[in-house]
Amino acid sequence: MSVIGQSVRRAALDRFATGRGRYVGDIDLPGMATVVFARSPVAHAELLGVDVAAARAIPGVLAVITGDDIAGFAPQPSLWNLPGQNHSGLKALATDRLRYVGQPFAAVVALDRRTAEAAASAIVPKYRALPVIADMDAALRTDAPRLYDHWSDNVVGRPRWQAGDIVAAFNNAALVVSDRFTTQRVHPCSLEPRGVVVAPDLDGESITVWLSTQSIHQVRAGISECLGLPEHRIRVIAPDVGGSFGMKACLYGEEVILAFLTHRIGRPLRWIETRAEAFVASTHGRDERVDLALAFDADGRIRALRSTIVLDKGADPYATSMGTAWITGAVMTGPYRIDTVDIEAIAVVTNKTPTGAYRGFGQPEANFALERALDMAAPRLGLDPAEFRRRNLVAPSEMPYPTPTGIVLDSGRYVDLLDATLERFGDNDAPPSSRRRTGVGIACYAETTNFGPSPLCKLIGVDSGGFDITAIRMEPSGHVRVFVGQTPMGQGIETVLMQVAADELGLPIEDISIVHGDTVSSAYTAYASGGSRGAGVAGGSTALAARRLRERILRWGAHLLDAPSESVRFVQGGVEVTDMPTRRIGIAEIAAAAYKAFSTPEGLEPGLEDRAAYDPPALAIAYGCVVAQVAVDLDTGKITVERIVFGHDCGVQINPAIVEGQVIGGLAQALGATLFEEVRYDADARPLTLSLQDYLLPLASDVPHVELVHFETPTPFSPIGAKGVGESGTIGVPAAIANAVQNALGAASPLVTLPLTGERVLAALSCDSAPSRASG
């Protein structure tokens, strides 16, 4: 019986539920010392010097270093290097300037944390204040001070997509709708903050790094590049990872510094990020605005799209560089038939904590703008919002459908899923109230998943491939080990890959184990655990490797049965002669014979091992539809999300329970970003959000019951038909809720800025006579 499509219980569930998880903070090595970083107290200043004398004099301090001590380091590498973009050249510790509050400029090693913290507080930076670039508008001004003297302005890069006659399309439009849509800066807020432990190996030349990361091979490569230490001298281990959401996808300076210091001091070192540090030292997400204009025919067909996207990268382009803005531009047309576009994406640097990868990676930002604009246009064209979308959604007969930005919509039944989701939702029968209004909103989305292929990575400037490798070994007992490069971080990928291997080999899932999280033993992944690619890409390489192993087992079985290879078949638990099922040999017997090798089939070697790499030929496009019902308190502006029906299609569902968990988890995260969450700065770029007292997260009571509608349309771009689902829940929810709130408020001014706070709702109500921004 196939285990694909079964809600197999997650492999590590009991261990986590009983408190037996092992995180970086749980690692305690003999002789371990603690590292604490001194961080910039100002947003922008020339760094004239660092006085470390007092810190070095404190008993128990083993070392203090500053930027001068790492002068020979290479700058931290950037994963995304789009053609023509600028690079900062920053190193792990600040040298010439302090560019954001929280930037590390010195590091202390001490015997214990209290001593290290005291020493870090005793370090005195000498600096001269410089003009601050507090936001993206300030960064774009022609007279703005430059954050980097070797740049001509504060722009990281400007990718652009153009197709069709955009001028004619807008000139001939029956209606044009335009507005500015803003998605605020958010904090990923993983349960486990970042942490790193580094220890020298006995050979004195190598190091082992334990790290809370989703990218073990990429971190190893980055440390190697910065320190000039060969990769084979660096072992990176990811123990249990307490969440990531993209924040732990890149190399950070703290990891480089600890690797350097452990080499220099010769003893194990540990740094565990505090929650306060996390708010200024770990990358933020979003912080993007989209100026969007849509041109329509009188019958409601979208004829053209024009957009300018601006991303606030903070003080450093960092590892993911322009990736978020690039993705926003690439998916701007969503699941709709739009052939004429002019889209420009701009990333700028400001004096804030850098932004980086975050769950959704530019796609919620695009969807919020597009779906809000469609709802703004629908009543002006006299169309129901659902019918409006039906007229523009790409049909299955048109697939694979190339969008003008280069994305290919591979497979799906967009209209059918929209209708099924609306049917499940039914009618809105909320009781009326004089001080409470109820509204319903919808949003459709298309999601890029299975990130790759390698040629696409090269084309857009991603400095890595897009493939995954899986190695697989059947042990003499008949049990199987699968060696993968993906890192579990709460998403259940280990269970999914066990199911894939078990299904291909006809074995019980209990006979499969996954090896992951260690660069010494794990297989290689070119793009790590991100881009919603675990099930589709790693699942693809796992399936291919298992199929090769199965053929090897088949040949061994034929040999042991003394039968021609073409006369036997692989069955659950063994190999049998096709026309004589009683002539059968079990898996365990085959495995034992393969490792004893008393008699080996011609052309084979002893043992049962194989490997495969899978590089997807194209992205796989998951898609979905969200219908949300909200209630708005007219006295306070408070929004209550009462109900959500979420339709989605991620291709073949390997484990439906994990799919459901990923969708609802992403939805809860998106609901928080829609209604509550925001990292705020003042006019001088000083952070105002420094703890969980300042950062509002959704409570369980804020998340309504979610009804799911499942479609399964396999992608042709994966051997197992699976598309990604890890980011699906984050994409359509903000727009659906905003459309529902707008529906409740009626003629109020458009809601175009997240989060939808009570103040913004009341302001919209007070401006319900604002002039329309549509023309036609």
Side-chain angles (χ1 to χ4, degrees), residues 628-695:
Q629 177 178 306
V630 305
V632 182
D633 187 310
L634 300 184
D635 294 319
T636 65
K638 176 178 170 57
I639 299 165
T640 301
V641 180
E642 298 184 325
R643 186 183 176 204
I644 289 181
V645 178
F646 197 121
H648 73 99
D649 187 339
C650 60
V652 173
Q653 294 189 59
I654 300 170
N655 187 312
I658 288 178
V659 169
E660 181 175 337
Q662 286 292 289
V663 171
I664 295 176
L667 180 153
Q669 217 162 353
L671 186 146
T674 305
L675 301 180
F676 309 117
E677 299 178 37
E678 184 172 19
V679 174
R680 296 176 298 114
Y681 285 79
D682 68 14
D684 294 317
R686 291 176 299 204
L688 301 175
T689 308
L690 297 171
S691 73
L692 290 176
Q693 289 183 314
D694 311 316
Y695 192 75

Side-chain angles (χ1 to χ4, degrees), residues 37 49 120 132-133 164 241 266 281 334 435 437 471 514 541 626 630 633 704 724 745:
F37 290 87
V132 169
I133 304 171
V241 178
R435 303 310 303 160
R437 293 185 190 172
I514 299 290
S541 62
V626 184
V630 305
D633 187 310
L745 300 186

Side-chain angles (χ1 to χ4, degrees), residues 184-201:
Q184 81 281 26
R185 177 176 286 242
V186 295
H187 178 50
C189 210
S190 58
L191 283 175
E192 179 200 22
R194 289 188 297 125
V196 56
V197 168
V198 187
D201 290 352

Side-chain angles (χ1 to χ4, degrees), residues 442-603:
I442 64 174
C444 298
Y445 71 87
E447 175 194 3
T448 60
T449 75
N450 295 3
F451 190 82
S454 297
L456 172 64
C457 293
K458 177 177 175 57
L459 179 67
I460 64 177
V462 175
D463 194 23
S464 78
F467 63 88
D468 261 41
I469 295 173
T470 295
I472 190 166
R473 181 174 73 224
M474 179 170 280
E475 305 288 5
S477 63
H479 296 85
V480 170
R481 292 187 188 273
V482 183
F483 302 83
V484 301
Q486 293 294 306
T487 300
M489 47 194 172
Q491 81 279 45
I493 186 62
E494 68 275 39
T495 304
V496 167
L497 298 180
M498 288 167 66
Q499 288 180 251
V500 172
D503 191 71
E504 294 289 344
L505 295 171
L507 294 174
I509 195 168
E510 295 79 13
D511 289 355
I512 311 292
S513 62
I514 299 290
V515 178
H516 60 79
D518 188 336
T519 54
V520 167
S521 57
S522 301
Y524 187 78
T525 171
Y527 196 76
S529 297
S532 291
R533 62 193 305 277
V537 180
S541 62
T542 298
L544 294 177
R547 290 170 192 175
R548 292 179 181 178
L549 180 62
R550 187 175 64 195
E551 290 304 311
R552 193 177 294 274
I553 294 169
L554 193 65
R555 290 180 62 187
W556 270 99
H559 178 72
L560 296 171
L561 290 168
D562 195 22
S565 295
E566 62 273 12
S567 70
V568 300
R569 64 186 178 188
F570 193 93
V571 295
Q572 188 169 5
V575 173
E576 68 183 24
V577 177
T578 305
D579 296 331
M580 299 179 64
T582 55
R583 290 187 62 195
R584 187 177 189 278
I585 186 168
I587 285 289
E589 190 175 351
I590 294 171
Y595 281 95
K596 290 177 181 176
F598 295 154
S599 175
T600 304
E602 184 178 351

Side-chain angles (χ1 to χ4, degrees), residues 286 363-365 367-368 371-372 441-445 624-630 639 641 643-647 662-675 702-704 706 708 727-741 754 756:
R286 311 285 190 249
Q363 298 178 96
E365 297 92 314
N367 187 264
F368 178 66
E371 292 294 317
R372 284 294 295 119
I442 64 174
C444 298
Y445 71 87
C625 175
V626 184
V627 183
Q629 177 178 306
V630 305
I639 299 165
V641 180
R643 186 183 176 204
I644 289 181
V645 178
F646 197 121
Q662 286 292 289
V663 171
I664 295 176
L667 180 153
Q669 217 162 353
L671 186 146
T674 305
L675 301 180
D702 295 313
V703 182
V706 180
L708 297 180
E727 295 163 284
S728 296
T730 66
I731 297 174
V733 170
I737 292 175
N739 285 339
V741 175
L754 296 178
L756 301 177

Side-chain angles (χ1 to χ4, degrees), residues 56 63-67 69-70 93 105-108 257 260-261 264:
R56 284 178 174 157
V64 180
I65 65 167
T66 68
D69 296 287
I70 63 167
L93 295 176
F105 63 85
V108 174
I257 293 301
F260 166 70
L261 285 170
R264 178 168 168 172

